[in-house]
Amino acid sequence: MTANVAVIGAGPAGLVVSRWLLSQGLEPSIFEQGSTLGGQWTAQPGRSGVWPGMHTNTSRILTAFSDLPLDGDLVFPSGADILDYLHRYARLFELDSRIRFGARIDAVARAGRRWVVSHDGIDEHFHNVVVATGRFHTAFVPPVPGLDTFTGSAGAVTSYEYRGPSAYRDKRVLVAGCAVSALEIAADLAGAGADPVVVTQRRQRYVLPKFVAGVPSDHRMFTRYGALADEALPTDEIDRQLKEIVVESAGSPEQYGAPRPAESLFAAGVTLNQNYLPAVAEGSITIRPWLQSVDGHAVKFGDGHIEEFDGIVFGTGFTLSLPILADDVRAILNVDAGNLDTDRYTFHPDLPGLAVMGMWDQSGGYFVPLELQARWIAYTWGGVIAPPDDAQQRKAVAASRSLGPRKTRMNLAAITFARAAGVEPRLENWLDLRRALLFGPLAPSCFRLDGPDALPDAAARFAREAAAFGAITDNALTQREHNYWSDVEQARALGHSAVSGK
């Protein structure tokens, strides 16, 4: 009997997992609360934090799945381009007919050895459930005394509610936060006539332009080498290497007139943005310490400075929220503590038949790791690979609970899922691609070289994608790359890490 699977959500995660479930002969039914597919990329108010005119901060090659390249010449496509891509992907794998639009899920609960999905007044039973509702829907606003008294004409909103700069022209705007959404919005406002634009932040992050010397920065920052080095080298050395990439690409924020960040990049954090620091340097954006209180139009900052504003935009992150899960499921996953206690962000041994997709927090784009996570789920339930070992799962869950909420990097997540799915490319099989596989972009095509569903043209595709922006054009390591990789190989030889692909 073919197993039926409920997939909750028709955004990128729900679509890609449905494609791979179908490849294993499983029967996904996709439940979508909205009227169209795409998740965040629909740009619909109330469903999406993507505003009209927004472009990705991840490059075209890394914002796609392995079966369908993202066409066009734009390095950083618009939100509309990504939505069109997702529609084409759904058509390619005939997913449209499997989506139930307007389906409001009331609960996902256990029912013996199966799962029950309650929606629209009915209960349906499924062998398996994938929760792919998206992580970025419940905006977090830190407590600020007097915020409820704010009387600015443009109001106080979150980045999830921001619909573009037109409503803020000639207005005084305060943007709170220092991560991607805050800096994107601040630069957006500064370039479209808001005056002044002030950013309030708890700490100064390093800022990496998304495009440097003709190469997208996510091709440099999120490499397989970086994932292997993370396992083999001391944390302070990883910190040093990543900071070296950032500072050599863009300098340090204080050179632009911003505050000086902590010496450690890990302590300070890093945000990808093209226009923010230049706007600070030319005075279009002013930086203040964190806001201390609000009184009507007036905002008081930590340094005692008081300034009046017409609008406040909070780009202060999101809270993990999975209200559709039954109380006992939420308790097992520890959701109410803001965590998700799972084995590698996906499974829990006490919840067989349930998988959670795309709920981890990371820097870098989600498309590549989402596809790899989808393949792991599909291969596990389809019997292509053995299910995770119970003892190892419990160890992973315990580690997740111990570490608590945390941020990872795109390359670390991608390699984690690639290994779980058995599709991490083996260096010894592709000596002519060795440099690209280590220091090139983690393009989706490189995960079709080895393992289940390998493609005969994957090597040629990956070679083209690795060289697309001129960073990787041959197989000879630069001196720095050679030194970095030698350190990792030495550490591995001494047994400091257990890395697949030996």
Side-chain angles (χ1 to χ4, degrees), residues 13 16-21 23-24 26 65-67 89 346-347 357 367-385 414 417-425 443-455 458:
V16 73
V17 77
S18 297
R19 173 266 187 268
W20 286 101
L21 290 169
S23 78
Q24 297 306 309
L26 305 175
F65 301 129
S66 64
D67 295 300
Y89 186 83
T346 309
F347 298 119
M357 274 202 72
F367 275 62
V368 174
L370 277 178
E371 179 174 13
L372 294 166
Q373 187 184 31
R375 293 172 71 182
W376 180 28
I377 293 168
Y379 293 163
T380 299
W381 289 347
V384 173
I385 59 176
F417 296 137
R419 289 179 185 167
V423 297
E424 182 184 14
S445 56
C446 80
F447 298 107
R448 304 299 292 270
L449 292 169
D450 289 312
D453 292 296
L455 294 174

Side-chain angles (χ1 to χ4, degrees), residues 185 236 250 279 309:
I185 289 171
D236 59 353
F309 294 96

